[in-house]
Amino acid sequence: MDELLKMAEEEMKLRNYSRRTVKTYLGCLRGYFLYCMGLRLGKEALSEWSRERVRAFLLLKIDAGKSSSTVNVYLNSILFLYREVLKVAGKVDVKFGKREQRLPVVLSHGEIVRMLEGTVNFKHRVMLAVAYGAGLRVSEVVGLRVRDLDFEGGLITVRQGKGNKDRVTVLPSMVVGDVRRLIARREAGDLVFESSWGGKLSTRSAQKVFEQALGRAGIHVVATFHSLRHSFATHLLEHGVDVRYVQELLGHSNIRTTQRYTHVSRKAIGGIESPL
């Protein structure tokens, strides 16, 4: 089983899968292999596709309360093993579960302002402002480097974002002065938001900063750092920015992913008068 894991890891690296995807798939495959070990399967039997075995494994995950999205990740990793690593011939016929349709959590502009005003730590306040003002993912914020900032053009280059894709987004003019102050005397390759000891800030630390800012602002919603990105997209659409431009700024491959923000526009819904 260690050999199969190594083969899967090497194949993903050759295909330039992100480190996060490699780690996630390998974790899912370990869980699947442990299940197979409980069935006392040898390597030869494990290398053969069994629809019934995979279905039984996925049903265990569903019974354990895993979401359909999580179960689909398990299925994706298993299908990768059999289709791309073991090159199993024939139809691999296990259907994907229907994903939950959840609306993204969006904060109002006023709530964003309260969060920023209540954040005393200068670096933390600038980080939250840049994340919201540029629509960045938490991993993109902590990985941002000085060379990625174009002050004259008012742009940020996001390098190797989700799907290992580069993109360009806006650098909010409101934060330019604070960002310049934060990165004073730093080199082009230095991180913009360093940890207190000078290394890379962890995504969990950034999430904690957001949670604390949310609490100080007295905002009682189940939100995450990613809600800043959701809010960025929704507020742009509310201000009339074309959805195709918003798609480019967010780095979405499919415009349907961006269009979901049209369903949570408070201004659009608030302008509809009930027939009651």
Side-chain angles (χ1 to χ4, degrees), residues 125-275:
R125 185 172 68 251
V126 176
M127 179 177 67
L128 294 174
V130 170
Y132 164 68
L136 302 181
R137 300 178 177 91
V138 63
S139 59
E140 295 167 350
V141 173
V142 299
L144 194 65
R145 296 187 182 274
V146 174
R147 61 169 173 257
D148 301 327
L149 305 172
D150 177 2
F151 291 108
E152 291 186 7
L155 301 172
I156 294 176
T157 299
V158 180
R159 305 184 191 278
Q160 298 295 288
K162 189 174 182 180
N164 290 325
K165 295 181 295 184
D166 291 354
R167 75 177 191 279
V168 175
T169 186
V170 292
L171 172 62
S173 58
M174 293 283 290
V175 301
V176 166
D178 286 340
V179 174
R180 284 187 181 276
R181 175 183 163 193
L182 185 68
I183 64 172
R185 296 183 296 278
R186 292 191 194 174
E187 301 294 330
D190 291 343
L191 291 163
V192 175
F193 303 107
E194 295 179 338
S195 66
S196 55
W197 56 86
K200 186 175 182 179
L201 192 70
S202 70
T203 56
R204 179 64 197 121
S205 295
Q207 176 65 38
K208 189 173 181 180
V209 168
F210 172 82
E211 292 168 356
Q212 291 172 342
L214 203 67
R216 282 192 295 267
I219 302 170
H220 306 293
V221 295
V222 182
T224 66
F225 198 102
H226 207 70
S227 298
L228 295 174
R229 178 173 159 88
H230 293 325
S231 304
F232 165 83
T234 304
H235 295 165
L236 285 181
L237 291 170
E238 287 179 346
H239 283 84
V241 178
D242 190 289
V243 67
R244 289 168 295 182
Y245 290 127
V246 179
Q247 177 190 4
E248 289 296 321
L249 293 173
L250 294 174
H252 288 159
S253 300
N254 193 323
I255 197 169
R256 285 180 296 181
T257 306
T258 315
Q259 286 172 330
R260 65 179 176 156
Y261 294 109
T262 63
H263 301 306
V264 294
S265 173
R266 299 182 182 185
K267 285 187 177 179
I269 296 173
I272 300 173
E273 188 172 343
S274 171

Side-chain angles (χ1 to χ4, degrees), residues 13-243:
K13 287 181 177 178
L14 286 171
R15 296 181 183 220
N16 199 29
Y17 280 28
S18 69
R19 284 182 293 179
R20 182 177 180 180
T21 299
V22 172
K23 182 179 178 180
T24 300
Y25 273 30
L26 291 178
C28 290
L29 287 175
R30 286 191 185 93
Y32 174 63
F33 290 157
L34 287 173
Y35 169 77
C36 293
M37 287 175 63
L39 300 178
R40 300 182 182 278
L41 292 178
K43 181 181 176 182
E44 185 175 343
L46 180 59
S47 299
E48 296 176 356
W49 169 255
S50 169
R51 179 174 182 270
E52 291 70 25
R53 182 174 67 238
V54 173
R55 278 171 54 87
F57 171 72
L58 296 178
L59 283 170
L60 282 177
K61 296 300 175 184
I62 293 172
D63 291 340
K66 300 295 184 183
S67 68
S68 58
S69 297
T70 300
V71 174
N72 282 340
V73 174
Y74 275 100
L75 177 55
N76 263 324
S77 64
I78 294 170
L79 292 180
F80 179 83
L81 171 70
Y82 285 103
R83 285 174 173 168
E84 311 301 334
V85 179
L86 298 177
K87 306 295 183 184
V88 172
K91 186 178 180 181
V92 180
D93 54 350
V94 176
K95 303 296 182 183
F96 287 90
K98 185 177 180 181
R99 292 187 176 184
E100 302 96 334
Q101 298 296 318
R102 296 182 181 178
L103 291 176
V105 176
V106 174
L107 302 172
S108 70
H109 187 267
E111 288 172 331
I112 298 288
V113 170
R114 276 163 44 204
M115 285 180 59
L116 296 179
E117 290 179 345
T119 303
V120 177
N121 184 287
F122 177 69
K123 179 183 70 178
H124 294 169
R125 185 172 68 251
V126 176
M127 179 177 67
L128 294 174
V130 170
Y132 164 68
L136 302 181
R137 300 178 177 91
V138 63
S139 59
E140 295 167 350
V141 173
V142 299
L144 194 65
R145 296 187 182 274
V146 174
R147 61 169 173 257
D148 301 327
L149 305 172
D150 177 2
F151 291 108
E152 291 186 7
L155 301 172
I156 294 176
T157 299
V158 180
R159 305 184 191 278
Q160 298 295 288
K162 189 174 182 180
N164 290 325
K165 295 181 295 184
D166 291 354
R167 75 177 191 279
V168 175
T169 186
V170 292
L171 172 62
S173 58
M174 293 283 290
V175 301
V176 166
D178 286 340
V179 174
R180 284 187 181 276
R181 175 183 163 193
L182 185 68
I183 64 172
R185 296 183 296 278
R186 292 191 194 174
E187 301 294 330
D190 291 343
L191 291 163
V192 175
F193 303 107
E194 295 179 338
S195 66
S196 55
W197 56 86
K200 186 175 182 179
L201 192 70
S202 70
T203 56
R204 179 64 197 121
S205 295
Q207 176 65 38
K208 189 173 181 180
V209 168
F210 172 82
E211 292 168 356
Q212 291 172 342
L214 203 67
R216 282 192 295 267
I219 302 170
H220 306 293
V221 295
V222 182
T224 66
F225 198 102
H226 207 70
S227 298
L228 295 174
R229 178 173 159 88
H230 293 325
S231 304
F232 165 83
T234 304
H235 295 165
L236 285 181
L237 291 170
E238 287 179 346
H239 283 84
V241 178
D242 190 289
V243 67

